[in-house]
Amino acid sequence: MESLNLIKNDPWLEPYSSAIEGRYQYVIDKEKSLTNNGKQTLSQMASGYLYFGLQKLPKGWVFREWAPNATAIYLIGTFNDWQKDEKYRLRSLPNGVWEISLGEDQLRHGDLFKLLVEWNGGSGERIPAWIRRVVQDPETKIFSAQVWNPEKPYKIKCKKFKPKKSPLLIYECHIGMGTKDEKVGTYDEFRLNVLPRVVKDGYNAIQIMAIQEHPYYGSFGYHVSSFFAASSRFGTPDDLKRLIDEAHSQGIAVIMDIVHSHAVKNEVEGLGRFDGSYSQYFHEGERREHPAWDSLCFDYGKNEVLHFLLSNCKFWLDEYKFDGFRFDGVTSMLYYSHGLGEAFCNYGDYFNGHQDGDAIAYLTLANKLIHEVNPNAITIAEEVSGMPGLAAKIEDGGYGFDYRMAMNIPDFWIKTIKEKKDEDWHPSAIWWETTNRRADEKTISYAESHDQALVGDKTIIFRLIDADMYWHMQKDDHNFMVERGIALHKMIRLVTASTINGGYLNFMGNEFGHPEWIDFPREGNGWSYKYARRQWDLVDNMDLKYHFLGDFDQAMLRVISGVRNFQDTPLLKVWDSDGDQILAYRRKDLVFVFNFNPTQSFTGYGFLVPKGEYEVVLNTDAPQFGGFGLADDSVHHFTQYDPLYKKEKKEWLKIYIPARSAVVLRKVKQKK
């Protein structure tokens, strides 16, 4: 085999070429075994949702389920008083498949049902694994499958949509949290009230959490029970389709936070012991349970499990028109240890035989399938170990993700804010953390996501300002902690967003400095929704300072979006000084200058840049963004000639940089 590009592009990977090439070959072999030696495409193979589950026929219904350990299966529901009934008994087919055909009058739209599964030594009620609609009784809290066949189903209007990726600007969100009221928000409320904000702010994608049905709301959607069912606590399948359709019509891509790294342990609601066996979908023995997440781990070595998960990927693309996925918990999938207790200090840690080849094959095939179904799809890996090749092309020996999350960046910001005095914020470290990535992989940079705000932690703004947020956010109230916090909040976001090589992400509300933390209703807080919502009235109130941050975020994205393929433009460091706490860099015609010094402003601070005239296009210290307006942004700056740099065609750009502020200058194009 000729050496793969992943290895050619990184000589440090050469000692591990056999492992990398072995993984690549294993993927090829696994695809052949799934597609009948290539007689089908991956997309044709991954169509289980069109066969299993409840299917409407021209006259009547057919229901199928895979349950190889079962000895008998019955449909029980509102149509037969939840009683075991021979008329609703499934018949056994080869390979562990069960089937029943029903007349039109035997099932109706809205009927509730479950499976009664029997096996040697026991029986139990189960929600079908492939079902597309699951609802919870508001009084008993019991979950049931529901027949969903409305007379006038929602019809997609925006049929041709192509995501904008230049750059990808993601608004991470949670439907239930999207309301200002202390309750669970809905798909419709999000479409009407939050989506317009996303459009206005300048984001071009939303990344929605908690779509797959999950029994416990407080799990943030990460303990999935029904993989093909859109959570009914937010509304109907048609409501979700309408939301995605409206987003597309507004130019917004819709990415789904998909959970294939583990599943909820529940047996009645989930797949925990679906057909009476412990290993239908999951590993046996010690590998069955995740040691940190109280959940079950899929056995990616089983072709039936791969068929289920790959079909799940295609289903959400096909049925709801999602534009791609952010795969959660990829680190947990890659390693037998789930990455727990591992340091990942050198390349040897990625190729020491402790990696799960079956999981790696699944992730690679999932990426291949997704892009086969939709060539413009977006796939993002949430992965913390730094596994090389994750976001490299499959044909180069990579796993095929379009992007990987730059998870080092939010960790760096939290550590800096918590542990370092303002005088010790070093631009060299900031530059390193925001630009340290593999040349052949694109990343999604972010200062904070939902993770940083969960109970036990704090948002960036709350770490910077803390309790003073409760008393000093009025416009006419001058408070040092608030003014410092607002200034640094803008600078942190600007340096993170402007150094991207792929995309930028922000969690819903954090753009305007949403106060406090995220805490879902639970016994420990009296089942309160107080911290599981977004207080939009704060940013809408012009008498408060929150809108300064929201307005800045909007202006920042406008600058970034104003440069064609901003994420691909060369990122050139102009200057850094840890002593002065100054950082400057260029991207195309833009020059970004940061003064992290908390006390010292600089007059006539010089940088070598291409000769010309420069105008200010963004200033964190501008009054409209809650700053002091210490510099005159209407002034154009002209470079000064220096014979020493004549050959480089560079001259000195000398500007005034107030303490704790950043400015973006743009080279003025001369009229011909």
Side-chain angles (χ1 to χ4, degrees), residues 64 138 164 234 249 258 308 386 444 492 505 509-510 512-513 533 543 546 565 598 659:
R64 300 185 188 94
K164 299 171 187 171
F234 309 132
S249 73
I258 200 166
F308 179 81
I444 301 294
I492 287 169
L505 176 141
N510 286 357
F512 66 81
R533 62 190 179 111
D543 292 328
Y546 295 97
N565 295 320

Side-chain angles (χ1 to χ4, degrees), residues 23-282:
R23 292 177 188 177
Y24 179 74
Q25 186 60 48
Y26 187 66
V27 170
I28 294 172
D29 294 341
K30 180 58 75 172
E31 182 177 0
K32 286 180 180 177
S33 74
L34 289 169
T35 60
N36 193 15
N37 208 26
K39 292 178 181 176
Q40 292 178 295
T41 64
L42 263 182
S43 179
Q44 289 169 334
M45 180 279 302
S47 299
Y49 62 94
L50 299 175
Y51 178 80
F52 288 107
L54 185 62
Q55 306 291 335
K56 185 70 179 75
L57 303 176
K59 292 186 177 180
W61 306 82
V62 65
F63 176 87
R64 300 185 188 94
E65 193 67 74
W66 175 61
N69 191 57
T71 56
I73 301 180
Y74 299 84
L75 290 183
I76 59 171
T78 50
F79 41 79
N80 60 8
D81 292 328
W82 300 96
Q83 299 300 310
K84 182 175 171 179
D85 185 341
E86 287 299 318
K87 287 190 297 184
Y88 289 91
R89 178 175 179 145
L90 280 67
R91 64 191 180 97
S92 177
L93 300 179
N95 302 316
V97 176
W98 297 78
E99 179 185 83
I100 186 171
S101 296
L102 299 166
E104 276 192 289
D105 60 339
Q106 288 181 277
L107 284 182
R108 299 184 186 278
H109 173 65
D111 279 348
L112 303 179
F113 71 101
K114 291 182 184 178
L115 302 180
L116 176 60
V117 181
E118 298 179 351
W119 57 85
N120 289 327
S123 66
E125 292 183 2
R126 299 289 186 262
I127 289 177
W130 296 77
I131 201 65
R132 303 186 187 188
R133 173 77 170 162
V134 175
V135 295
Q136 184 180 27
D137 186 285
E139 295 180 4
T140 66
K141 305 302 180 185
I142 292 173
F143 286 87
S144 302
Q146 185 177 47
V147 178
W148 189 256
N149 184 44
E151 280 188 32
K152 294 182 179 179
Y154 183 78
K155 292 184 179 179
I156 304 292
K157 299 181 181 68
C158 190
K159 295 182 179 177
K160 291 184 179 180
F161 175 78
K162 186 177 179 181
K164 299 171 187 171
K165 305 176 189 176
S166 54
L168 185 62
L169 303 172
I170 303 172
Y171 198 79
E172 185 189 32
C173 53
H174 184 284
I175 299 296
M177 282 182 61
T179 174
K180 65 180 176 62
D181 302 319
E182 294 186 30
K183 63 166 193 170
V184 177
T186 68
Y187 297 121
D188 276 347
E189 289 171 335
F190 188 95
R191 174 176 56 85
L192 294 170
N193 302 326
V194 182
L195 191 60
R197 294 179 183 271
V198 177
V199 175
K200 182 183 176 186
D201 287 349
Y203 291 89
N204 55 29
I206 54 175
Q207 181 178 298
I208 312 181
M209 308 171 65
I211 290 295
Q212 295 167 293
E213 192 59 89
H214 45 291
Y216 180 45
Y217 187 48
S219 76
F220 228 143
Y222 290 125
H223 277 194
V224 174
S225 53
S226 297
F227 286 79
F228 290 85
S231 182
S232 61
R233 55 173 56 88
F234 309 132
T236 70
D238 284 13
D239 294 338
L240 176 55
K241 289 177 182 178
R242 188 177 288 108
L243 164 59
I244 294 171
D245 202 20
E246 177 62 24
H248 286 166
S249 73
Q250 297 289 329
I252 304 293
V254 186
I255 301 165
M256 177 176 155
D257 203 343
I258 200 166
V259 184
H260 283 177
S261 47
H262 61 139
V264 74
K265 290 168 71 172
N266 300 33
E267 294 181 1
V268 175
E269 295 89 358
L271 304 175
R273 199 180 171 200
F274 187 79
D275 65 357
S277 67
Y278 290 94
S279 58
Q280 182 185 358
Y281 287 96
F282 308 105

